[in-house]
Amino acid sequence: MKGLMIGVSGVRGIVGMGLNPEVVLRLGQAFGTYLEGGRVIVGMDTRTSGPMIKSALISGLLSTGCKVIDLGISTTPTLQIMVEELKADGGIVISGSHNPSEWNALKFVRDDGIFLNANEAKELLNIYWQGSFLQAKWNEIHEVEKFENSSEIHISKVLKILDLDLIRKRKFRVAIDCCNGAGSIITPEFLKELGCDVIEIHTTPNGFFPHNPEPTFVNLGEISERTVSSGCDIGFAQDADADRCAIITENGEILSEEYTLTIVSDYVLSYKKGPVVCNLSTTRMMDEVTKRHNVELVRTPVGEVNVSEKMKEIGSVIGGEGNGGVIDPRVHYGRDSFVAIGLILEYMAKECKKISEIVKKFPRYYIDKRKIEFPRRRMKDLISYYKEKFKDEKINLDDGIRIDAEDFWIHIRMSGTEPVLRVIVESRSKKKTEEIVNKLLVEIEEMKG
Ligand code: MG
């Protein structure tokens, strides 16, 4: 079924074309059985399918004897934090994240606020496929508790790590594009707490996305214009569940999402030394930043949980993903656009610099991210081919193949949820990146067999 993908990184699908209440109900039953009852936090983004999915999900959870705490509309980081705050046994995020309106998805959170890792997810999926679920008796069914203040709790945790006086004094003017997603209410409130004059773009939480919610170049023309025309110091664009964000400079330049983690890391490392974690698909600017601050950079396979677990293991001070997702363990081990926005404003305030000036501190790289359909069974051959072809370069095989040459790098990996290859290339010149990508795509096309 093409409209539904069930894998270790969660379940996602197109509403009405695979993702339906029957599937969701069973996932609720499976998660409740996996937790053996217990307290579960449920939250959703603004998609029109949210309430339909939530009802089915809660039904499944209650039928296994779980206690459900419903946050209503909630960003993904808010939900992750609330699982920890309320000492729940787990949580489920209902959000299609950066995917268009017709999509929705479920992501499962464990009791420490981190997503299930691959082994845990496999265990959950086994329960799902086997279909033997716990069944609570009539007197074991709990009520659903509504929890209203999750946004305030989340914001206050982020504010605690910031130098509020410093940021407020600058009275920044900030444009924010929430894409009518889960950040629509909480983000302007957060910025006002930071003393900002807020120019709101698409902050009606109705799930009708005015553009594709992926915070990348093609989707951010409007905020770029508004940032300049409203005389803003900076603009931010979130995806629909507000774990990721991209930056727009005061000149209207839409920065690649790769800059978000780079800038935040550079800032945090200036006052707090320690190892940094990012995934294998993240920009080489991260190597430069960590070198500059003389700390270690550890790269993990793609997937937020991989970064979170590694950060916890090695006591990392900052980490995340090049797709605009920043993780600061002082708040929690999950990607959080509020952490990113707060720390970037603080960096500008502290250095008395414009965002365009801060950007100049980093060497310019050109990254190209592609996806191409590819049969999983051919993956082994593809890896052997490139291993041989680039045998003189540094090779990492933790997640597909990453090749690190002197003036470029390539990461090719199979998507966790779809039969597609992700191909990422970065180099110091636009032309070179283009040349490498085009060559790879031709070679890969031939390898499909
Ligand atoms: Mg997201």
Side-chain angles (χ1 to χ4, degrees):
M1 204 188 300
K2 237 188 154 189
L4 183 69
M5 289 166 280
I6 298 181
V8 291
S9 50
V11 175
R12 66 190 181 107
I14 299 173
V15 177
M17 293 179 68
L19 187 61
N20 58 40
E22 288 92 334
V23 171
V24 177
L25 173 77
R26 282 171 59 89
L27 285 162
Q29 289 173 292
F31 194 58
T33 304
Y34 172 77
L35 296 179
E36 298 172 3
R39 290 164 76 233
V40 184
I41 316 270
V42 173
M44 61 181 189
D45 70 16
T46 56
R47 276 162 225 262
T48 53
S49 58
M52 177 272 277
I53 290 175
K54 190 173 80 176
S55 305
L57 183 69
I58 290 180
S59 204
L61 289 167
L62 292 175
S63 75
T64 61
C66 283
K67 271 190 189 167
V68 176
I69 300 165
D70 178 4
L71 302 185
I73 290 176
S74 145
T75 74
T76 293
T78 309
L79 184 131
Q80 289 175 296
I81 285 174
M82 290 314 297
V83 170
E84 268 192 289
E85 285 288 310
L86 298 175
K87 298 191 171 47
D89 299 286
I92 304 174
V93 179
I94 304 166
S95 171
S97 186
H98 55 279
N99 295 292
S101 311
E102 64 269 28
W103 288 85
N104 215 327
L106 301 179
K107 278 189 120 184
F108 300 91
V109 179
R110 57 193 202 200
D111 61 359
D112 59 358
I114 294 178
F115 291 121
L116 299 196
N117 65 29
N119 287 332
E120 291 155 349
K122 271 182 203 149
E123 208 182 310
L124 170 65
L125 292 179
N126 274 340
I127 297 172
Y128 172 81
W129 293 118
Q130 279 170 9
S132 85
F133 306 127
L134 284 180
Q135 289 192 50
K137 295 195 196 73
W138 70 274
N139 55 356
E140 294 164 346
I141 312 268
H142 298 281
E143 280 182 41
V144 178
E145 189 189 322
K146 291 218 187 295
F147 193 90
E148 310 279 349
N149 302 328
S150 55
S151 299
E152 287 83 349
I153 292 173
H154 178 186
I155 288 180
S156 72
K157 276 193 80 103
V158 179
L159 294 178
K160 256 190 211 143
I161 69 161
L162 299 173
D163 186 339
L164 297 180
D165 290 342
L166 184 72
I167 301 172
R168 284 172 181 156
K169 251 188 240 154
R170 289 291 303 273
K171 296 191 170 60
F172 288 119
R173 176 173 274 203
V174 179
I176 174 82
D177 179 353
C178 303
C179 201
N180 293 343
S184 295
I185 306 289
I186 172 177
T187 316
E189 277 174 15
F190 171 68
L191 286 167
K192 283 169 196 160
E193 284 281 342
L194 295 177
C196 298
D197 181 10
V198 186
I199 308 296
E200 297 186 26
I201 302 161
H202 307 310
T203 53
T204 312
N206 61 11
F208 290 93
F209 303 149
H211 55 76
N212 186 313
E214 175 110 57
T216 52
F217 191 79
V218 289
N219 303 320
L220 304 180
E222 192 177 348
I223 182 173
S224 158
E225 262 171 48
R226 290 285 296 278
T227 303
V228 177
S229 65
S230 305
C232 292
D233 298 291
I234 190 167
F236 294 104
Q238 291 169 322
D239 71 339
D241 63 331
D243 52 354
R244 294 164 51 188
C245 71
I247 303 166
I248 292 89
T249 70
E250 78 280 5
N251 305 319
E253 188 188 353
I254 302 164
L255 298 179
S256 128
E257 302 170 285
E258 300 292 323
Y259 274 98
T260 310
L261 179 61
T262 304
I263 293 172
V264 171
S265 300
D266 187 45
Y267 179 54
V268 170
L269 291 171
S270 72
Y271 65 87
K272 201 170 177 6
K273 297 279 182 260
V276 176
V277 180
C278 67
N279 69 27
L280 285 160
S281 286
T282 302
T283 176
R284 196 176 264 183
M285 286 190 286
M286 288 301 287
D287 296 82
E288 312 240 359
V289 164
T290 46
K291 212 163 154 195
R292 191 184 295 167
H293 292 281
N294 206 13
V295 298
E296 186 193 7
L297 175 68
V298 178
R299 288 183 183 269
T300 70
V302 171
E304 177 178 322
V305 56
N306 299 316
V307 177
S308 303
E309 287 190 332
K310 182 55 83 180
M311 287 181 71
K312 223 170 174 176
E313 182 193 321
I314 66 172
S316 167
V317 295
I318 193 79
E321 298 179 337
N323 59 15
V326 172
I327 301 175
D328 188 320
R330 290 173 294 178
V331 178
H332 67 119
Y333 285 97
R335 293 177 302 178
D336 189 323
S337 65
F338 301 90
V339 167
I341 290 170
L343 287 169
I344 288 166
L345 292 175
E346 188 177 306
Y347 194 2
M348 289 163 64
K350 192 146 207 164
E351 302 246 316
C352 285
K353 281 203 171 108
K354 291 181 178 157
I355 186 65
S356 62
E357 292 169 327
I358 290 176
V359 168
K360 284 192 196 124
K361 288 178 153 192
F362 310 102
R364 185 62 73 154
Y365 278 95
Y366 295 86
I367 196 163
D368 198 344
K369 307 176 184 187
R370 301 291 185 97
K371 80 182 189 181
I372 172 169
E373 275 190 37
F374 194 78
R376 204 169 286 273
R377 61 187 160 78
R378 301 283 298 148
M379 195 56 192
K380 239 174 122 181
D381 294 339
L382 179 140
I383 289 178
S384 323
Y385 173 79
Y386 284 115
K387 223 170 116 184
E388 177 58 29
K389 183 170 176 181
F390 291 105
K391 63 176 184 294
D392 297 329
E393 312 296 350
K394 206 176 126 203
I395 303 272
N396 180 316
L397 298 174
D398 291 345
D399 182 9
I401 182 165
R402 168 150 171 155
I403 300 136
D404 267 281
E406 194 176 339
D407 53 351
F408 67 91
W409 62 268
I410 299 169
H411 188 201
I412 305 173
R413 59 180 287 271
M414 203 73 206
S415 156
T417 42
E418 309 167 70
V420 298
L421 268 187
R422 306 228 175 248
V423 180
I424 301 182
V425 175
E426 190 184 58
S427 83
R428 294 298 306 275
S429 103
K430 200 172 173 200
K431 195 165 155 252
K432 176 145 197 160
T433 297
E434 258 168 34
E435 275 171 16
I436 299 171
V437 165
N438 291 336
K439 196 156 176 228
L440 286 172
L441 292 181
V442 171
E443 285 175 349
I444 292 169
E445 195 61 49
E446 279 170 11
M447 265 185 261
K448 280 184 181 175

